[in-house]
Amino acid sequence: MANDSYDLVIIGAGPAGYVAAIRAAQLGMKVAVVEKNATLGGTCLNVGCIPSKALLQSSHLFEETGHDLAAHGIVVPAPALDLIQMMKRKGEVVGATTKGIEFLFKKNKIAWLQGQGRIDAAGKVSVLGMDGVVKDTATARNILIAAGSEVTPLPGVTIDEKKIVSSTGALDLASVPKHLVVIGAGIIGLELGSVWRRLGSDVTVVEFLDRITPGVDDEVTKFLQRTLAKQGLKFKLGAKVTKAEMSGEGVTLTVEPSKGGTAETLEADVVLVAIGRRPYVAGLGLDKVGVKLTERGRIAVDAHFQTSVPGIYAIGDVIDGPMLAHKASEDGIACVETLAGQKGHVNWDLVPSVIYTQPEVAWVGRTEEQLKAAGVAYKIGKYPFTADPRSRANAATEGFVKVLADKTTDRVLGVHIFGAEAGTMIGEAALAVEFAASAEDIGRICHAHPTVNEALKEAALAAWEKPIHL
Ligand code: FAD
Ligand code: NAI
């Protein structure tokens, strides 16, 4: 049994932990990462961001080939689906990405202690094997918890990852379900619902609230729902699933109005439970060492990511803030830079978000609803992609860019994009809000022509004074 000593021991090798490890090593620390999975990269690389985007891309190409090429003068026979190959490609993308992290660990001399990490005291970590027996111990000047999150379970609907699946099972189905019922119209539900709809499933989305995608700008949400419905997704809003029973080959779901009322049943071949994620803190030994949780079960940290126990820090999905990979990584960088005596900081209010449906939804900063609630006087600049020549050339004119700016100062407070390339476009908007740009600033920047980002410039001009091309 090894008992090595480190400057920093990190528990969890997701986007929070592995990025923190690399940055800490760059800053001269001796670093070990405890990760229980057989591969590095956490939820995001193994069963989250990366495999879902691989399937979104493949299913998008499948749909485009089947429906959208004729308008370009490209005539092809109806495409056939080779799901095994599609899944194989997804696996290769994941494999290359997780191997890449292994390479970066070696390059930066980061030790990977494979096993379940448990904190025994400040500065002391045990590494347990699959059998629950301690196989290594490590001492550390500082410990960083980056243990991530897991799917929130739904009482009465037990996940077996075959017929009733979480996102992990939904990324690995062996055949296309005839009827997929998705519980939860959040990001996972809409992305993975879109994948299987494109591949041929009938998809019904059951959502507790009267709207989809809570937290997204209301106007964008309305357009998104209308578009997804046109694509074939069926929505049951204001409804909750109270029971799931196996029935022959499928599942019978009991669905009730959220506010109470008459129950009905829904037959599904596969059910995807996607009602949110919760922090994963099991087995870390937090009680024993006195690390406190917030009311919502996340690890409580101060402005420098330190928990209630000096020398123990936490970042990523286990703490507050949006549960997003890039936020988790920025937490990690800020935390270890602070440990190295620098000044690390992450503004969680300016973390960009993307929903990778088609068209995509992307936003950064505040929504109209948040500005209204805060009593901020704002102005709106909007520009539709129908007016953008590159979008016309791309045959991708659905959607718009909406810039929200302070009525008095013109400072950009939020940008909301519904469009084919929203996820890529939001980078420029994030830069602008982070640097406190005004709408006029964005509008006066020379944008390359013809690019879809000209729509952001025009929306900014519309917020400031007047767009040129509308
Ligand atoms: P995780 O990635 O969950 O990593 C935590 C790691 O800690 C895991 O590897 C776990 O095995 C390990 N661990 C936990 N406890 C222990 C222990 N005691 N000992 C040893 N190891 C331990 N976010 C985006 O920004 N963009 C997306 O497109 C996106 N798509 C997603 C799609 C899906 C289907 C899902 C489920 C999530 C998606 N997310 C996306 C969210 C993103 O995956 C998370 O926000 C991100 O992974 C959080 O990073 P993390 O490092 O905090 O935690
Ligand atoms: P979510 O929080 O995005 O959405 C959950 C939805 O389920 C909400 O609309 C909620 O109202 C609804 N809901 C809750 N309880 C319900 C019930 N009992 N019955 C019916 N509906 C119910 O959570 P989701 O989609 O599970 O994703 C988890 C997190 O993973 C996201 O919040 C995001 O942080 C991350 N993620 C990010 C992605 C991206 O950045 N593109 C992609 C996928 C996940």
Side-chain angles (χ1 to χ4, degrees):
M1 189 189 305
N3 183 15
D4 290 327
S5 170
Y6 298 92
D7 294 314
L8 181 66
V9 170
I10 300 174
I11 301 180
Y18 89 72
V19 170
I22 293 170
R23 186 69 188 126
Q26 287 173 348
L27 293 169
M29 293 180 216
K30 186 181 174 199
V31 184
V33 177
V34 187
E35 170 56 61
K36 62 188 169 59
N37 283 351
T39 50
L40 301 174
T43 304
C44 179
L45 274 61
N46 289 283
V47 290
C49 328
I50 301 306
S52 62
K53 268 76 244 178
L55 290 185
L56 277 157
Q57 176 67 6
S58 297
S59 61
H60 176 60
L61 287 178
F62 182 71
E63 176 154 89
E64 207 167 40
T65 310
H67 298 283
D68 303 331
L69 296 187
H72 293 270
I74 304 168
V75 182
V76 290
L81 177 63
D82 179 350
L83 188 60
I84 293 174
Q85 169 57 25
M86 200 177 274
M87 291 295 176
K88 184 167 165 264
R89 190 194 82 92
K90 176 207 69 177
E92 285 163 0
V93 172
V94 168
T97 314
T98 58
K99 281 271 171 238
I101 310 300
E102 262 185 64
F103 165 78
L104 291 172
F105 270 26
K106 283 193 189 115
K107 184 177 160 197
N108 288 284
K109 301 190 171 46
I110 296 163
W112 172 10
L113 311 177
Q114 208 204 328
Q116 167 92 18
R118 187 186 68 200
I119 305 172
D120 295 327
K124 284 203 171 103
V125 172
S126 290
V127 183
L128 287 72
M130 294 278 279
D131 51 7
V133 175
V134 176
K135 58 179 195 179
D136 277 323
T137 55
T139 54
R141 195 186 301 252
N142 291 299
I143 295 171
L144 177 52
I145 304 169
S149 61
E150 59 178 354
V151 63
T152 304
L154 179 59
V157 186
T158 310
I159 292 171
D160 63 7
E161 296 298 10
K162 287 190 177 73
K163 291 286 167 195
I164 302 180
V165 297
S166 69
S167 51
T168 302
L171 288 165
D172 224 9
L173 297 180
S175 60
V176 179
K178 209 161 161 316
H179 186 203
L180 172 71
V181 173
V182 176
I183 310 177
I187 310 190
I188 291 182
L190 299 186
E191 287 189 356
L192 295 181
S194 292
V195 164
W196 291 106
R197 200 250 340 128
R198 292 171 193 169
L199 299 180
S201 296
D202 280 334
V203 178
T204 306
V205 184
V206 181
E207 163 61 45
F208 185 84
L209 301 174
D210 289 325
R211 57 164 296 165
I212 67 169
T213 55
V216 177
D217 186 88
D218 280 359
E219 189 182 10
V220 173
T221 298
K222 281 190 194 108
F223 278 91
L224 173 67
Q225 188 183 334
R226 205 173 66 192
T227 296
L228 293 175
K230 251 195 283 169
Q231 292 173 356
L233 250 59
K234 293 185 192 73
F235 290 100
K236 262 190 177 304
L237 303 183
K240 59 181 178 192
V241 173
T242 52
K243 197 160 70 173
E245 284 175 316
M246 294 298 163
S247 54
E249 289 295 285
V251 184
T252 303
L253 295 173
T254 306
V255 183
E256 288 175 21
S258 305
K259 293 176 184 137
T262 314
E264 56 172 328
T265 56
L266 259 185
E267 299 298 328
D269 299 282
V270 173
V271 177
L272 164 59
V273 180
I275 60 163
R277 292 180 64 82
R278 63 181 187 185
Y280 181 71
V281 291
L284 286 167
L286 301 186
D287 277 356
K288 202 173 141 209
V289 286
V291 169
K292 291 204 174 75
L293 303 182
T294 65
E295 271 175 13
R296 298 180 59 218
R298 301 210 195 181
I299 295 177
V301 291
D302 66 12
H304 303 298
F305 302 95
Q306 184 160 259
T307 68
S308 49
V309 178
I312 303 181
Y313 296 78
I315 52 172
D317 278 11
V318 278
I319 64 167
D320 274 343
M323 283 183 162
L324 295 172
H326 40 285
K327 175 268 186 189
S329 299
E330 297 304 333
D331 282 357
I333 288 171
C335 177
V336 300
E337 286 185 347
T338 307
L339 290 179
Q342 300 181 4
K343 291 204 179 342
H345 174 69
V346 189
N347 185 351
W348 289 341
D349 290 335
L350 295 186
V351 173
S353 293
V354 183
I355 307 177
Y356 296 87
T357 45
Q358 196 45 254
E360 296 175 344
V361 175
W363 70 98
V364 63
R366 292 197 274 173
T367 63
E368 268 202 81
E369 295 69 46
Q370 287 167 337
L371 292 174
K372 273 184 203 145
V376 178
Y378 63 94
K379 50 188 182 166
I380 306 172
K382 251 167 65 180
Y383 194 77
F385 286 109
T386 43
D388 174 56
R390 182 59 189 273
S391 299
R392 277 202 297 273
N394 291 352
T397 51
E398 189 165 5
F400 56 89
V401 180
K402 174 166 155 181
V403 171
L404 304 173
D406 187 287
K407 199 161 193 164
T408 315
T409 65
D410 195 40
R411 180 175 173 170
V412 177
L413 303 172
V415 176
H416 304 268
I417 308 176
F418 180 48
E421 295 180 47
T424 305
M425 291 177 71
I426 206 65
E428 182 186 348
L431 190 74
V433 286
E434 188 68 64
F435 280 93
S438 64
E440 182 184 358
D441 287 332
I442 302 178
R444 286 192 184 278
I445 287 169
C446 184
H447 285 65
H449 177 74
T451 58
V452 290
N453 278 52
E454 286 175 291
L456 173 60
K457 173 189 169 95
E458 291 278 3
L461 285 173
W464 170 57
E465 230 180 42
K466 268 190 168 61
I468 299 291
H469 291 93
L470 202 63

